[in-house]
Amino acid sequence: MMDTETRDLLPEGLEDRLPQDTAAATRITRAIMDVLDSHGYDRVQPPGVEFERSLASRMAGIETRRMVRFIDPSSLRMMALRSDITPQVGRIAVTRLKDAPRPLRLAYAGQVTAIKGDGLDPTRERLQIGAELIGHAGTAAAGEVVAVAIEALQAAGATGISVDFTMPGLVDALAAGPWPLTPAQLDAVRRELDAKDAGALVTEGGAAYLPLIHATGPLDAAIARLEALALGEVLDERIAALRQIAARLPAGVRLTLDPTERHGFEYQSWFGFQIFADGVRGAVARGGSYSILGEPAEPAVGFSLYPDPLITALAAHEAPRDLLFLPLGHDTGAAARLRAVGWRTVAALGDACDAATLGCTHRLEGDEVVAL
Amino acid sequence: MMDTETRDLLPEGLEDRLPQDTAAATRITRAIMDVLDSHGYDRVQPPGVEFERSLASRMAGIETRRMVRFIDPSSLRMMALRSDITPQVGRIAVTRLKDAPRPLRLAYAGQVTAIKGDGLDPTRERLQIGAELIGHAGTAAAGEVVAVAIEALQAAGATGISVDFTMPGLVDALAAGPWPLTPAQLDAVRRELDAKDAGALVTEGGAAYLPLIHATGPLDAAIARLEALALGEVLDERIAALRQIAARLPAGVRLTLDPTERHGFEYQSWFGFQIFADGVRGAVARGGSYSILGEPAEPAVGFSLYPDPLITALAAHEAPRDLLFLPLGHDTGAAARLRAVGWRTVAALGDACDAATLGCTHRLEGDEVVAL
C-alpha cells in the first residue's frame, strides 16, 4: 500500500491550480486574448513539444540547456518541451505563414516548461501569453505593441502599471561611433553596465559610459540626461522613437528608462521594455524588437506576459459567484432558461444533496429563483 | 547554413494550429467550458508534468508505457508528461479537495501528450476537455454527465449526435451469477466479446454469452433482446438505469447499446458511453463510471472530449469575421469605442499598409465605418 503523501506528491516547482485560482486564470486569459484579438492579432497554437533544434533555430540566444529533453522514439532525434513560445511563433511566421501579408499579427497562449526552476523561483511550468508583430519593427510597431500589452493587462485587472524602457543596441552603437571600444572592452563594458558597477566600468576602459548609469529613472528626466550628452544621431533617433512610443500610451502609466539594461535578452535589437503592476513581484510582461532568423531575417516586435503572479494576486479578490440549487424533480426547462441568461446551477442527485452544503446562494422553486 | 526543411521540421504527430483552426479551437473550447461551468463544474488546472507514479496511482489500468518520461534532475525520480487529465483530477479530488462537499463537480481543459501515435493515428498531442462528478456514480449522476456532454458538444457546434452505451461490469456480474465461468474462461470470454468473435466465444466455453453479441444496436431493440434473456436482477437494474439516463437526454440524439464493449477502459464500473457526431471519425467523447483509488475508494462518473477532429471539421465552416482598417492618423478614441462594441481592428503602421492587402472588410473614416 502506498503512502498517500508520496503517492500524490507533486515535483518541486509544479502545482495544481484549484477552483478559485483557475477561475481567475480563465477569466484573465480570456480578457487578455480578447484584447489581442480586437487589435487584429490572430491566435496560433504551436505544439508543446518539438525537435530541440527547431525550438532554438529561429531566434538568437535561445538556450536549450534548461529545456526538458528526450529522444523521439520514431526519429531518434532529440525533442524538447518548449520553454518559450515566441520562437515557435517566429517559425510559423517564416514557414507556413511566409506568404501571409505583412505586417503579420500573431498571438498565443500556452504553458511553457523548464527542467529546473530559476534561481530563487522554483517554478518549472508557467503560462505564457503574447503577441508578435512581424514584418515591421519601427516606432509605430513598437508603440502599438506596448499600448496593446498595457491594454491587455488593464483588461485583466492589473493596476498601478509602469513601463521600463531599455535601449538594447545603444552600447554597440556608441562603441561603433562616438565612444569607441575594442571588442574585448565592449564585452567587459556591457557586463559592467549590466551589473551597474561604476568602479569596474572605469577599470575596464569604459569611463565614457559612466553617464549612462546615471541616465536611469523617470523617462523625461532620464532622456534629459541623455540629451545633455549631445551624442548626435545615434542617440537622437532612439530618443525621438521613445518619445513617440510614450506619447501613445495611456495617461497614468508610469514610464522609466534604463538605457543600458538588457534583462538577459541578447536577441533584442533597438528597443526593449518591461511592464510592472501593483501586487506583482518582478516584471509581468517583457518585450521588444528582434529579428526572426532566416535568409533574409525578418524584423519583429512583440511581448510576452507571464500572468501567473497576476492571477494569484487577483484571485483573492474575485467576486464570489451566485450558485443556484436545483432540487430533485425541478423544472429542467426553467433551469435551462436560467443558465442561458447566465445563472450557474447545481442539480441535486438525491435527497442527501443539500443547497447550503454545496455552497448555493439561491434555490429554484417552481420557476422562481429564491435567495437563500 | 541549415536547410530550411530540416530546421523547421515538426516531429511526426505534432502540428501547428494556424489562425483559422485556432480561432475555431478557441471558440469551441470556450463554448464547452461555459456549458460545464453553467452546470456547476469548477475548473481545475493540474500541471502538464508530474511524477510518473502519481499519474498512474489513482486510477486502475493507466499505462505509463506510452507517456513521455524523463528523470527529474532535482529529485532524481521519473517524471512524465500527462497522457490523460482524468487521473490528475481524481488526485486533486482526493487530496487537496478531500474536504470539499460531495458531490464534487470538476472540469478541465488542456493538452495531453503521448510518446508515440496510436496505431494508424500518428497524433501525439491533443486537446482533452472533460468533467468529473465525484462522490456519486449512480443513475442520476450518470444521466447528468451524459446530458452535460451532449449539451457541451451541441454548444460547440456538433450536429448529428449519437450516444453508444456500454455495460462495463455486465460480463463479470453474469459470470459471478447466472452464467458461471472459471477465471481463465472469464478472461477468454471477455477477449472474444471485445473481438465480437462468435466462433471463438463458443470454443472458449462462452456459448451462453452469444446472445449478448446480438443485443447490440438501437437502444430500445437491444434492451428488448436483453430482457428476453430473463436474467433477473443483475440485468434488470442495469436496464432500468439505462432507461432513466436515456429519458433525460434531448430528443433527436440517436441512442445505441453495445452491452459487452469495453473500449479498452478496464477501469469503468457499471456504465460507459461514447459520443459520435457528424463529420467526425471515431468517438468525439467517452465517459462512464469508475473509482478513484484510495482508502476508501471514491465513486465517480465523468467524460472526456477530444475536440481536435471536431475543431478541424467545424473550422472550415466558421463564418469569416469583419476586420476594420484604421488608417494612419485615425481617431484612436473612435477606434477604441468600436473595439469595445465588438469590432476587430488593424492599424496602419506606415503608408505601405493597405486595407485590401491586409484582408480588411471595412475602413475607419473620421468616426465612420465604411464597408470596402
Side-chain angles (χ1 to χ4, degrees), chain A residues 1-2 4 6-12 14-19 22 26 30 34 37-51 53-54 57-58 68 70 72-74 77 79 81 91-92 95-96 101-103 105 111 115-116 124-125 133 136 140-141 144 293 295 321 339 343-347 349 353 357-358, chain B residues 1-2 4 6-12 14-19 22 26 30 34 37-51 53-54 57-58 68 70 72-74 77 79 81 91-92 95-96 101-103 105 111 115-116 124-125 133 136 140-141 144 293 295 321 339 343-347 349 353 357-358:
Chain A
M1 201 171 292
M2 273 188 274
T4 299
T6 311
R7 174 183 198 168
D8 299 308
L9 195 73
L10 284 179
E12 191 189 343
L14 294 164
E15 280 189 2
D16 293 319
R17 234 201 266 277
L18 297 185
T22 310
T26 302
R30 286 188 183 192
D34 283 348
D37 183 75
S38 77
H39 284 276
Y41 288 79
D42 281 326
R43 185 170 179 179
V44 291
Q45 208 175 348
V49 167
E50 285 197 29
F51 288 127
R53 187 163 126 168
S54 319
S57 80
R58 288 293 182 181
V68 171
F70 56 95
D72 176 13
S74 90
R77 290 175 57 192
M79 290 173 67
L81 267 64
R91 175 181 55 69
I92 292 175
T95 57
R96 293 189 62 190
R102 265 48 176 173
R105 289 169 171 88
Q111 299 295 125
I115 188 109
K116 294 182 87 161
R124 292 201 263 183
E125 188 182 45
L133 209 173
H136 282 226
E144 171 174 318
L293 302 182
E295 297 87 31
R321 297 167 67 197
R339 278 192 297 271
W343 280 92
R344 192 166 191 239
T345 64
V346 165
L349 298 177
C353 285
T357 311
L358 290 171
Chain B
M1 199 172 294
M2 273 188 275
T4 299
T6 309
R7 174 184 200 168
D8 299 309
L9 195 72
L10 284 179
E12 192 190 340
L14 294 164
E15 280 189 2
D16 293 319
R17 234 200 268 278
L18 298 185
T22 310
T26 302
R30 287 188 183 193
D34 283 348
D37 183 74
S38 78
H39 284 275
Y41 289 78
D42 282 325
R43 185 170 179 177
V44 291
Q45 209 175 346
V49 168
E50 286 196 28
F51 288 128
R53 188 163 123 165
S54 319
S57 80
R58 288 293 182 181
V68 171
F70 55 96
D72 176 14
S74 90
R77 290 176 56 193
M79 290 173 68
L81 267 64
R91 175 181 55 68
I92 292 175
T95 56
R96 293 187 63 191
R102 264 50 176 173
R105 289 170 171 88
Q111 299 295 124
I115 187 110
K116 292 184 88 162
R124 292 201 262 182
E125 187 182 46
L133 208 173
H136 282 227
E144 171 174 319
L293 302 181
E295 296 88 32
R321 297 166 69 195
R339 279 191 297 271
W343 279 93
R344 192 165 191 239
T345 64
V346 165
L349 298 176
C353 285
T357 311
L358 291 171

Side-chain angles (χ1 to χ4, degrees), chain A residues 42-370:
Chain A
D42 281 326
R43 185 170 179 179
V44 291
Q45 208 175 348
V49 167
E50 285 197 29
F51 288 127
E52 177 188 12
R53 187 163 126 168
S54 319
L55 286 169
S57 80
R58 288 293 182 181
M59 273 171 83
I62 300 285
E63 290 190 13
T64 61
R65 199 175 39 83
R66 290 191 58 245
M67 292 181 192
V68 171
R69 285 173 288 180
F70 56 95
I71 300 283
D72 176 13
S74 90
S75 65
L76 300 180
R77 290 175 57 192
M78 190 67 90
M79 290 173 67
L81 267 64
R82 64 182 176 198
S83 61
D84 185 353
I85 303 178
T86 306
Q88 296 187 296
V89 172
R91 175 181 55 69
I92 292 175
V94 299
T95 57
R96 293 189 62 190
L97 297 180
K98 68 176 188 296
D99 297 326
R102 265 48 176 173
L104 178 65
R105 289 169 171 88
L106 298 176
Y108 59 85
Q111 299 295 125
V112 294
T113 311
I115 188 109
K116 294 182 87 161
D118 189 3
L120 291 175
D121 180 6
T123 307
R124 292 201 263 183
E125 188 182 45
R126 53 185 183 161
L127 175 61
Q128 182 183 9
I129 302 182
E132 310 296 333
L133 209 173
I134 295 147
H136 282 226
T139 309
E144 171 174 318
V145 161
V146 181
V148 168
I150 292 171
E151 185 180 333
L153 284 167
Q154 288 177 332
T159 53
I161 287 177
S162 65
V163 183
D164 188 38
F165 293 117
T166 62
M167 299 169 135
L170 178 63
V171 172
D172 283 8
L174 293 174
W179 293 347
L181 294 173
T182 67
Q185 280 178 320
L186 176 58
D187 282 345
V189 162
R190 277 216 213 88
R191 189 178 61 240
E192 302 311 336
L193 284 169
D194 281 346
K196 304 222 173 356
D197 185 337
L201 187 62
V202 173
T203 311
E204 298 288 356
Y209 290 76
L210 269 177
L212 296 185
I213 292 189
H214 302 295
T216 294
L219 185 66
D220 290 337
I223 283 181
R225 286 211 190 91
L226 286 179
E227 283 181 320
L229 300 174
L231 281 162
E233 206 176 281
V234 57
L235 197 55
D236 293 348
E237 276 179 7
R238 285 179 161 80
I239 288 174
L242 283 187
R243 284 205 164 115
Q244 280 181 54
I245 294 166
R248 61 169 292 175
L249 301 184
V253 169
R254 205 170 75 91
L255 303 176
T256 57
L257 176 65
D258 195 342
T260 67
E261 182 59 58
R262 290 187 296 172
H263 301 299
F265 288 115
E266 285 158 33
Y267 56 78
Q268 286 184 346
S269 55
W270 67 274
F271 173 67
F273 67 100
Q274 289 200 299
I275 305 184
F276 301 86
D278 278 352
V280 179
R281 184 185 295 189
V284 67
R286 303 187 295 203
S289 62
Y290 61 96
S291 283
I292 301 172
L293 302 182
E295 297 87 31
E298 194 165 12
V301 54
F303 69 88
S304 293
L305 299 170
Y306 295 94
D308 288 334
L310 183 66
I311 289 165
T312 306
L314 295 177
H317 305 108
E318 296 278 308
R321 297 167 67 197
D322 285 341
L323 193 56
L324 174 63
F325 183 75
L326 306 176
L328 282 180
H330 67 270
D331 178 342
T332 56
R337 285 190 296 276
L338 288 164
R339 278 192 297 271
V341 297
W343 280 92
R344 192 166 191 239
T345 64
V346 165
L349 298 177
D351 293 325
C353 285
D354 171 75
T357 311
L358 290 171
C360 294
T361 56
H362 295 74
R363 180 185 169 92
L364 184 65
E365 294 183 2
D367 57 0
E368 251 181 280
V369 172
V370 179

Side-chain angles (χ1 to χ4, degrees), chain B residues 81-364:
Chain B
L81 267 64
R82 64 181 175 199
S83 60
D84 185 354
I85 303 178
T86 305
Q88 296 187 297
V89 172
R91 175 181 55 68
I92 292 175
V94 299
T95 56
R96 293 187 63 191
L97 298 180
K98 69 174 186 298
D99 298 325
R102 264 50 176 173
L104 178 64
R105 289 170 171 88
L106 297 177
Y108 59 85
Q111 299 295 124
V112 294
T113 311
I115 187 110
K116 292 184 88 162
D118 189 3
L120 291 175
D121 180 5
T123 307
R124 292 201 262 182
E125 187 182 46
R126 52 185 185 161
L127 175 60
Q128 183 184 8
I129 303 183
E132 310 296 334
L133 208 173
I134 294 147
H136 282 227
T139 309
E144 171 174 319
V145 161
V146 181
V148 168
I150 292 171
E151 185 181 333
L153 283 167
Q154 288 177 331
T159 54
I161 285 177
S162 66
V163 183
D164 188 38
F165 293 118
T166 61
M167 298 169 135
L170 178 63
V171 172
D172 284 7
L174 292 173
W179 293 347
L181 293 173
T182 66
Q185 280 178 320
L186 177 57
D187 282 347
V189 163
R190 276 215 212 90
R191 189 177 63 240
E192 302 312 336
L193 284 170
D194 281 347
K196 303 219 174 358
D197 185 336
L201 188 61
V202 174
T203 311
E204 298 289 354
Y209 289 77
L210 270 177
L212 296 185
I213 291 188
H214 302 294
T216 295
L219 185 66
D220 291 335
I223 284 181
R225 286 211 189 91
L226 287 179
E227 283 181 321
L229 301 174
L231 281 162
E233 206 176 280
V234 57
L235 197 55
D236 293 349
E237 277 179 6
R238 285 179 160 82
I239 288 174
L242 283 186
R243 284 205 164 113
Q244 281 180 54
I245 294 167
R248 60 169 294 176
L249 301 184
V253 169
R254 206 170 75 90
L255 303 176
T256 57
L257 176 65
D258 195 341
T260 66
E261 183 59 59
R262 290 186 298 172
H263 301 299
F265 288 115
E266 285 158 33
Y267 56 79
Q268 286 184 346
S269 54
W270 68 274
F271 173 66
F273 66 99
Q274 290 201 298
I275 305 185
F276 301 86
D278 278 351
V280 179
R281 184 185 296 190
V284 66
R286 302 187 296 203
S289 62
Y290 61 96
S291 283
I292 302 171
L293 302 181
E295 296 88 32
E298 193 165 13
V301 53
F303 69 87
S304 293
L305 299 171
Y306 296 94
D308 288 335
L310 183 67
I311 289 164
T312 306
L314 294 177
H317 306 107
E318 297 277 307
R321 297 166 69 195
D322 285 341
L323 193 56
L324 174 63
F325 183 76
L326 306 176
L328 282 180
H330 67 272
D331 177 342
T332 56
R337 284 191 296 276
L338 288 164
R339 279 191 297 271
V341 296
W343 279 93
R344 192 165 191 239
T345 64
V346 165
L349 298 176
D351 293 325
C353 285
D354 170 74
T357 311
L358 291 171
C360 294
T361 56
H362 295 75
R363 179 186 170 91
L364 184 66

